[in-house]
Amino acid sequence: MFVAALILASCATRGRLTYFRDMDADSVVAMPVPRDIMAQAGDRIAIVVTSRDRNLAALFNISGTCGSADSACGSAGGDARGMVYTVDRAGNIDFPVMGALHVEGLTRDSIAKYVKRQLIDRRLLTDAVVTVELRNLCVSVLGEVRSPGRVPIDRDCFTLIDALSAAGDLTTSGDRRDVLVMRTEGGVRRAYRVNLNSAAEVYSSPAYYLSQGDVVYVKPLRAKRGK
């Protein structure tokens, strides 16, 4: 009976530590539509404008221009990877020559297309090539992971699995059935719970694709669920 109890306990432990228990070689799980990171107030955005006319393009890559209407000079600056702008509270950046451009809620690719269209429509630069990079974005991963802390967002579509992998994976004490993702949406803080034992639940969760500023918390197994 003692040996049987140990075997059952061992099986239960392995079950709790296993990811995607509902997946096997023949399983099919619907994947969510990819969701790119979107610009938010406070984000830093690097924008490079190039053209055959280098002198004209230089007007839109001015080093030392303020990147935020409500911040002092010095919050943005030029470098080899482009002029860096800070999105202000209204969701705008202060772009050279064109002034305020609303970029909040736009993806990196959408910002590039928007800036290019504005340059063309205003007849400022008809052959512009615009490159955009989102800077200094991250999520926080806390609790029972091997390397807790801030994890940089290094791609347009950044997932919960990416964040946990970057944090070194969960420890053996981490509760894979109840991972908490906290996110600010519409001025309120929302919490999503994800069961990593189930691929279907992971991929269908609104928290599968993360946003900048999200907090991922992995509770210890000994903690009671709901506490």
Side-chain angles (χ1 to χ4, degrees), residues 51-75:
S51 166
R52 288 191 296 270
D53 188 333
R54 294 185 178 181
N55 291 329
L56 190 56
L59 295 174
F60 307 99
N61 297 302
I62 301 173
S63 177
T65 301
C66 281
S68 174
D70 65 350
S71 61
C73 287
S75 65

Side-chain angles (χ1 to χ4, degrees), residues 146-216:
R146 300 187 189 282
S147 300
R150 300 178 69 184
V151 173
I153 294 175
D154 58 1
R155 65 198 71 186
D156 289 333
C157 297
F158 195 76
T159 70
L160 175 60
I161 303 303
D162 292 328
L164 293 174
S165 298
D169 197 5
L170 280 67
T171 66
T172 56
S173 299
D175 190 348
R176 286 149 177 80
R177 300 166 300 176
D178 194 7
V179 174
L180 180 67
V181 178
M182 292 174 285
R183 174 179 300 160
T184 300
E185 296 177 316
V188 298
R189 198 70 166 171
R190 298 187 185 277
Y192 300 94
R193 296 189 181 277
V194 183
N195 178 9
L196 298 179
N197 285 162
S198 169
E201 290 189 37
V202 171
Y203 294 127
S204 65
S205 172
Y208 175 66
Y209 286 110
L210 298 179
S211 299
Q212 60 270 52
D214 282 359
V215 176
V216 179

Side-chain angles (χ1 to χ4, degrees), residues 116-173:
K116 180 177 180 177
R117 175 52 55 189
Q118 290 294 313
L119 290 168
I120 293 174
D121 289 350
R122 301 187 193 195
R123 299 181 180 179
L124 297 171
L125 202 58
T126 58
D127 66 340
V129 175
V130 180
T131 304
V132 175
E133 177 185 345
L134 301 179
R135 296 281 190 86
N136 301 328
L137 304 186
C138 66
V139 298
S140 297
V141 184
L142 308 174
E144 292 295 329
V145 293
R146 300 187 189 282
S147 300
R150 300 178 69 184
V151 173
I153 294 175
D154 58 1
R155 65 198 71 186
D156 289 333
C157 297
F158 195 76
T159 70
L160 175 60
I161 303 303
D162 292 328
L164 293 174
S165 298
D169 197 5
L170 280 67
T171 66
T172 56
S173 299

Side-chain angles (χ1 to χ4, degrees), residues 13 17 45 55 82 84 95 99 110 119 156 160 210 221:
T13 300
L17 300 180
I45 302 174
N55 291 329
V84 179
F95 200 77
S110 295
L119 290 168
D156 289 333
L160 175 60
L210 298 179
L221 278 170

Side-chain angles (χ1 to χ4, degrees), residues 38-47 66-71 75-76 83-95 100-107 111 132-135 137 212:
M38 295 183 290
Q40 299 178 3
D43 287 352
R44 291 170 62 80
I45 302 174
I47 301 178
C66 281
S68 174
D70 65 350
S71 61
S75 65
M83 183 68 192
V84 179
Y85 304 86
T86 300
V87 182
D88 66 20
R89 295 186 182 93
N92 301 323
I93 58 173
D94 189 6
F95 200 77
L101 297 179
H102 191 76
V103 299
E104 185 177 20
L106 299 181
T107 65
I111 294 172
V132 175
E133 177 185 345
L134 301 179
R135 296 281 190 86
L137 304 186
Q212 60 270 52

